[in-house]
Amino acid sequence: MAAYYVIVDVRIDNPDEYQKYMTGARPIAERFGGEYLVRGGNFQVVEGDYFQPRRLVMVRFPTKEAFESFYHSPEFQQVRQIRLPVSDMVMVGVEGYE
């Protein structure tokens, strides 16, 4: 099975509250095999003009099923409630190349 990558673009409206989300989400993702590959940092749009990311995050999960188990877990859904009122997020999942 191919790895599954989750790519996130997020605007953070309240950094202090969002930090609580980040602190809570990471260990939950790691329990489901998630590995953070990118978590913020400087980026450069190399080609094209329509992609204007705000803050990029990329997490690799061993499988799509592992990601879905993480995302739908009660633990993550509880932590997710911290994030919803303090940010705007787009999350995309994509299967990796085998």
Side-chain angles (χ1 to χ4, degrees):
M1 287 190 171
Y4 195 73
Y5 295 86
V6 177
I7 303 162
V8 173
D9 176 27
V10 63
R11 181 193 74 229
I12 300 169
D13 299 324
N14 183 327
D16 292 334
E17 287 297 307
Y18 192 83
Q19 181 65 42
K20 294 176 187 175
Y21 163 74
M22 290 191 312
T23 300
R26 183 175 190 155
I28 300 167
E30 289 173 347
R31 279 200 307 270
F32 286 90
E35 177 186 2
Y36 281 80
L37 303 176
V38 175
R39 196 168 187 186
N42 295 324
F43 61 85
Q44 174 185 4
V45 177
V46 177
E47 206 170 304
D49 57 2
Y50 70 92
F51 185 57
Q52 298 298 320
R54 300 159 295 183
R55 180 178 190 270
L56 292 174
V57 178
M58 182 183 294
V59 185
R60 178 177 54 217
F61 285 86
T63 64
K64 181 180 181 183
E65 293 76 18
F67 165 72
E68 289 174 346
S69 293
F70 154 73
Y71 185 82
H72 295 292
S73 71
E75 299 87 357
F76 178 70
Q77 288 302 309
Q78 183 176 5
V79 171
R80 182 176 173 263
Q81 294 305 309
I82 296 169
R83 186 195 80 221
L84 292 176
V86 300
S87 67
D88 177 62
M89 178 181 285
V90 175
M91 183 182 294
V92 177
V94 61
E95 291 180 354
Y97 181 74
E98 285 191 54

